[in-house]
Amino acid sequence: MNALERKNVEAVTAFIENEANHGELYRTDQFFAPQITEAFTDRSCAVDEILIQGDKVTARILITGTHTGSFAGNLPTGKAVKVTQFREFRVVDGEIIEHRGWFDTGTLLHQIQAVKQ
């Protein structure tokens, strides 16, 4: 990893770890995304893995929380959950200029037993 890539990884990691940015992290174009913040009010996130190629940084983020609100039509279960979010960032000169993400809602629904086996 060269110095510029290291700087870009540091910018993304700092963004993810800063709780003030978590509102941005939970926004995606996915249908269920707005419900994540309402259904898992004690959620926290941590960087699980980062991949970098030039100005593109992809982060796998592990989100943990408790199912305390309605999610996808499922009433609160009180269960602890772990969900993966993937987020792609474009970083120029150490500044994030765009990012987008998606959640692994299939795994999340299974954890709250919304999907029957």
Side-chain angles (χ1 to χ4, degrees):
M1 180 183 321
N2 65 38
L4 180 59
E5 289 176 332
R6 189 172 300 110
K7 185 177 179 181
N8 291 348
V9 166
E10 289 170 0
V12 167
T13 301
F15 180 87
I16 293 168
E17 291 177 351
N18 184 344
E19 284 193 39
N21 297 324
H22 286 186
E24 284 293 313
L25 286 176
Y26 300 122
R27 276 189 221 137
T28 73
D29 292 334
Q30 286 178 281
F31 177 75
F32 292 126
Q35 294 178 37
I36 295 266
T37 57
E38 297 169 11
F40 306 95
T41 55
D42 66 343
R43 67 202 172 282
S44 64
C45 59
V47 176
D48 193 31
E49 183 177 24
I50 289 188
L51 303 171
I52 184 162
Q53 185 176 20
D55 67 348
K56 294 181 182 175
V57 180
T58 302
R60 183 172 62 204
I61 303 165
L62 180 62
I63 300 170
T64 57
T66 308
H67 183 211
T68 57
S70 182
F71 182 76
N74 295 279
L75 296 176
T77 63
K79 292 183 177 186
V81 299
K82 292 180 183 178
V83 63
T84 300
Q85 181 190 44
F86 293 93
R87 197 135 198 112
E88 293 177 342
F89 296 85
R90 194 162 141 241
V91 186
V92 175
D93 295 327
E95 286 195 45
I96 297 167
I97 59 170
E98 66 179 308
H99 60 97
R100 63 184 132 314
W102 59 100
F103 297 98
D104 178 3
T105 52
T107 301
L108 177 58
L109 289 169
H110 183 75
Q111 290 178 67
I112 61 173
Q113 295 182 337
V115 177
K116 303 293 181 200
Q117 290 186 357

